[in-house]
């Protein structure tokens, strides 16, 4: 058996191999650590850019302690990122806004705490925040902004309305959102998108050409004046018929007195009342053309077959207690004149659908309040 003789390396060769191994270790260890740290951060849903910033800014272990955090993921990429504020950033709820880091820094600097900052940010757009950070510190801002529907851009109006009315904070925010701190027909908005939850009041109208979807003639048997054609949107009519039939089964006759009115019809109504009773009367009772719910095909004035004063009829009581089950609400209730902007109208009902109607009925809310709290999501 032949033995293969290994060739021994020269001394220089051996040194070279050792150097190579040391060099390899020097490269491999940091790379390994880097891969290890990156994968830990990746597991916490930090993105690539955030990970490289976290490692570069040497806040790896702090971020690891904090865990998954969308705010950190965003602010760590900015040049305004301040390592000393890391814990505070982590407590602020993330919002997708420009200048997030510098705005947070400025708000912290003004003295707002992290929960206040979360509220300020979440109720505002980038533009609103950019303007807000230039304002003086506002004490107890959470009193207003703790409501989901609060808007940071209205903060001065909330404060002023609270100062002058001493309403509850909930009402202050709701009423200012409706626009009640300003004269009627101020800052009016025109929205021609038909929907059963569209809002028409003294701040929200439709244009002259607006027409509801699927206007449908109310069958004569449901009309107070059988010689006059009345119309409702299809959805409202279906619900009205269902309601009228349910009432009939219990011995009540609910009739439609005045339903859909075009812009021109409303112009006529408004002018007639104006000529007869003057400006003060129309202000309370008649809507300006374009600001009448009757133009939406979702509203109607109801009547009873036997009584000329609806409020004194048994149908009035039945409607008051049952209309919500069919999606209708009394639009201008007694005691809510300051919110609706209209005198109490026992006969004017609005279709909003069963869910909204039920909530409004159970919580004693007008549609203006409901809209301000649950439908108007604009920041
Ligand atoms: Zn009416």
């Amino acid at each position: 058996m032949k033995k293969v003789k290994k060739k021994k390396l020269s001394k220089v060769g051996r040194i070279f191999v050792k150097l190579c191994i040391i060099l390899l270790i020097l490269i491999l260890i940091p790379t390994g650590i880097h891969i290890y740290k990156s994968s830990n951060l990746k597991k916490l849903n930090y993105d690539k850019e955030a990970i490289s910033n976290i490692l570069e800014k040497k806040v790896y272990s702090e971020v690891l302690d904090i865990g998954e955090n969308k705010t950190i993921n965003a602010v760590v990429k900015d040049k305004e990122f301040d390592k000393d504020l890391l814990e505070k950033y982590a407590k602020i709820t993330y919002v997708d806004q420009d200048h997030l880091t510098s705005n947070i820094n400025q708000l912290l600097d003004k003295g707002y705490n992290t929960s206040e900052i979360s509220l300020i940010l979440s109720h505002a757009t980038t533009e609103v925040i950019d303007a807000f950070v230039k304002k003086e510190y506002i004490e107890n801002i959470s009193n207003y902004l703790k409501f989901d529907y609060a808007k940071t851009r209205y903060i001065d109006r909330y404060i002023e309305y609270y100062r002058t009315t001493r309403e509850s904070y909930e009402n202050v925010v709701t009423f200012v959102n409706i626009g009640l701190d300003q004269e009627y027909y101020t800052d009016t908005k025109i929205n021609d998108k038909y929907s059963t939850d569209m809002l028409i009041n003294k701040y929200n109208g439709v244009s002259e050409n607006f027409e509801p979807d699927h206007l449908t003639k109310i069958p004569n048997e449901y009309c107070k004046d059988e010689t006059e054609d009345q119309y409702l949107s299809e959805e409202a009519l279906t619900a009205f018929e269902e309601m009228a039939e349910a009432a009939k089964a219990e011995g009540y006759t609910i009739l439609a007195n005045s339903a859909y009115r075009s812009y021109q019809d409303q112009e006529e109504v408004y002018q007639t009342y104006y000529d007869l009773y003057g400006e003060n009367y129309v202000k309370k009772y008649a809507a300006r053309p374009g600001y009448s719910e009757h133009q939406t095909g979702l509203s109607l004035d109801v009547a009873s077959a036997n009584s000329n004063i609806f409020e004194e009829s048994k149908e009035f009581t039945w409607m008051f207690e049952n209309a919500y089950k069919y999606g209708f609400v009394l639009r201008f209730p007694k005691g809510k004149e300051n919110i609706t902007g209209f005198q109490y109208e026992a006969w004017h009902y609005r279709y909003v659908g069963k869910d909204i109607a039920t909530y409004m009925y159970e919580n004693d809310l007008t549609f203006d309040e409901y809209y301000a709290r649950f439908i108007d999501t604009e920041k």
Side-chain angles (χ1 to χ4, degrees):
M1 199 165 73
K2 253 188 170 179
K3 226 180 176 181
V4 182
K5 207 179 174 188
K6 273 187 186 164
K7 204 179 169 188
K8 275 195 172 177
L9 281 169
S10 67
K11 203 177 171 184
V12 179
R14 285 203 301 275
I15 292 169
F16 178 73
V17 170
K18 276 182 189 165
L19 276 173
C20 282
I21 291 168
I22 290 167
L23 203 67
L24 209 62
I25 289 168
L26 283 176
I27 294 165
L28 282 180
I29 288 178
T31 313
I33 291 172
H34 189 91
I35 291 169
Y36 170 75
K37 285 181 173 176
S38 297
S39 86
N40 281 344
L41 291 169
K42 214 172 161 186
K43 275 184 222 153
L44 295 170
N45 288 321
Y46 287 93
D47 64 35
K48 224 173 158 188
E49 196 190 340
I51 291 171
S52 79
N53 276 283
I54 289 165
L55 299 177
E56 197 182 301
K57 289 168 183 166
K58 300 196 170 28
V59 287
Y60 168 75
S61 54
E62 290 88 339
V63 172
L64 207 63
D65 283 346
I66 289 165
E68 182 171 350
N69 191 293
K70 282 183 93 175
T71 305
I72 301 291
N73 186 69
V75 298
V76 76
K77 299 166 192 170
D78 285 337
K79 63 177 190 310
E80 291 91 353
F81 172 80
D82 182 345
K83 213 170 155 173
D84 297 334
L85 300 175
L86 193 72
E87 293 283 326
K88 287 182 175 165
Y89 293 140
K91 287 182 190 149
I92 294 167
T93 312
Y94 173 73
V95 287
D96 183 8
Q97 270 163 10
D98 297 337
H99 325 131
L100 183 63
T101 316
S102 81
N103 285 338
I104 291 176
N105 290 356
Q106 289 182 71
L107 292 170
L108 284 169
D109 202 40
K110 288 233 156 85
Y112 290 108
N113 64 38
T114 52
S115 68
E116 288 171 331
I117 294 174
S118 293
L119 291 173
I120 294 165
L121 295 174
S122 67
H123 294 136
T125 58
T126 296
E127 295 72 35
V128 171
I129 286 299
D130 287 352
F132 185 87
V133 292
K134 296 185 181 78
K135 293 162 78 77
E136 293 284 304
Y137 172 76
I138 296 166
E139 221 173 312
N140 298 325
I141 199 165
S142 311
N143 285 342
Y144 306 98
L145 297 188
K146 71 182 172 201
F147 300 102
D148 288 344
Y149 45 90
K151 300 171 198 285
T152 300
R153 70 186 148 108
Y154 286 170
I155 192 66
D156 294 335
R157 287 169 62 184
Y158 296 150
I159 291 165
E160 180 59 15
Y161 197 71
Y162 177 75
R163 195 183 66 77
T164 52
T165 66
R166 295 285 149 175
E167 286 276 357
S168 68
Y169 290 115
E170 189 180 36
N171 278 350
V172 166
V173 173
T174 307
F175 292 174
V176 169
N177 282 13
I178 293 171
L180 293 170
D181 59 324
Q182 298 177 307
E183 289 282 307
Y184 294 135
Y185 301 111
T186 306
D187 274 350
T188 51
K189 282 191 216 114
I190 299 297
N191 181 7
D192 281 348
K193 199 179 169 310
Y194 170 85
S195 69
T196 56
D197 63 3
M198 68 191 294
L199 175 69
I200 301 288
N201 60 14
K202 287 181 173 173
Y203 305 97
N204 295 274
V206 285
S207 67
E208 192 171 345
N209 300 321
F210 173 82
E211 249 190 42
D213 292 355
H214 309 294
L215 264 185
T216 315
K217 192 175 145 6
I218 306 175
N220 283 352
E221 55 180 298
Y222 296 112
C223 293
K224 175 90 173 171
D225 179 352
E226 292 192 14
T227 62
E228 212 181 315
D229 287 347
Q230 296 285 347
Y231 295 84
L232 277 176
S233 83
E234 201 177 14
E235 295 151 291
L237 178 58
T238 306
F240 178 70
E241 288 177 348
E242 196 195 334
M243 178 169 68
E245 287 306 316
K248 196 187 270 176
E250 292 178 38
Y252 306 100
T253 311
I254 312 274
L255 299 169
N257 206 4
S258 175
Y260 168 71
R261 291 203 287 261
S262 69
Y263 186 94
Q264 288 73 23
D265 293 339
Q266 186 65 25
E267 236 170 8
E268 242 172 74
V269 168
Y270 190 82
Q271 200 54 49
T272 307
Y273 280 127
Y274 192 96
D275 295 343
L276 279 172
Y277 306 114
E279 197 181 343
N280 278 336
Y281 181 90
V282 286
K283 259 189 190 167
K284 287 178 189 165
Y285 285 96
R288 283 187 192 172
Y291 296 89
S292 167
E293 266 190 343
H294 285 277
Q295 200 184 334
T296 66
L298 295 165
S299 270
L300 81 165
D301 300 334
V302 291
S304 133
N306 313 308
S307 169
N308 281 329
I309 300 171
F310 185 64
E311 200 182 352
E312 291 172 0
S313 68
K314 53 191 184 7
E315 278 77 10
F316 163 77
T317 311
W318 189 91
M319 281 289 283
F320 194 83
E321 287 166 359
N322 296 287
Y324 75 94
K325 296 172 193 164
Y326 305 91
F328 284 93
V329 293
L330 183 66
R331 184 64 180 86
F332 308 119
K334 198 181 256 179
K336 301 269 190 172
E337 296 85 351
N338 60 328
I339 303 171
T340 63
F342 282 97
Q343 285 298 299
Y344 168 53
E345 287 188 6
W347 56 88
H348 181 109
Y349 274 82
R350 158 72 193 269
Y351 179 72
V352 290
K354 287 176 190 172
D355 291 346
I356 295 177
T358 303
Y359 189 92
M360 284 173 56
Y361 180 83
E362 285 171 355
N363 294 279
D364 190 28
L365 291 178
T366 61
F367 187 54
D368 310 273
E369 292 166 288
Y370 184 91
Y371 193 92
R373 291 186 190 175
F374 303 109
I375 303 177
D376 174 17
T377 52
E378 202 191 330
K379 284 182 177 177

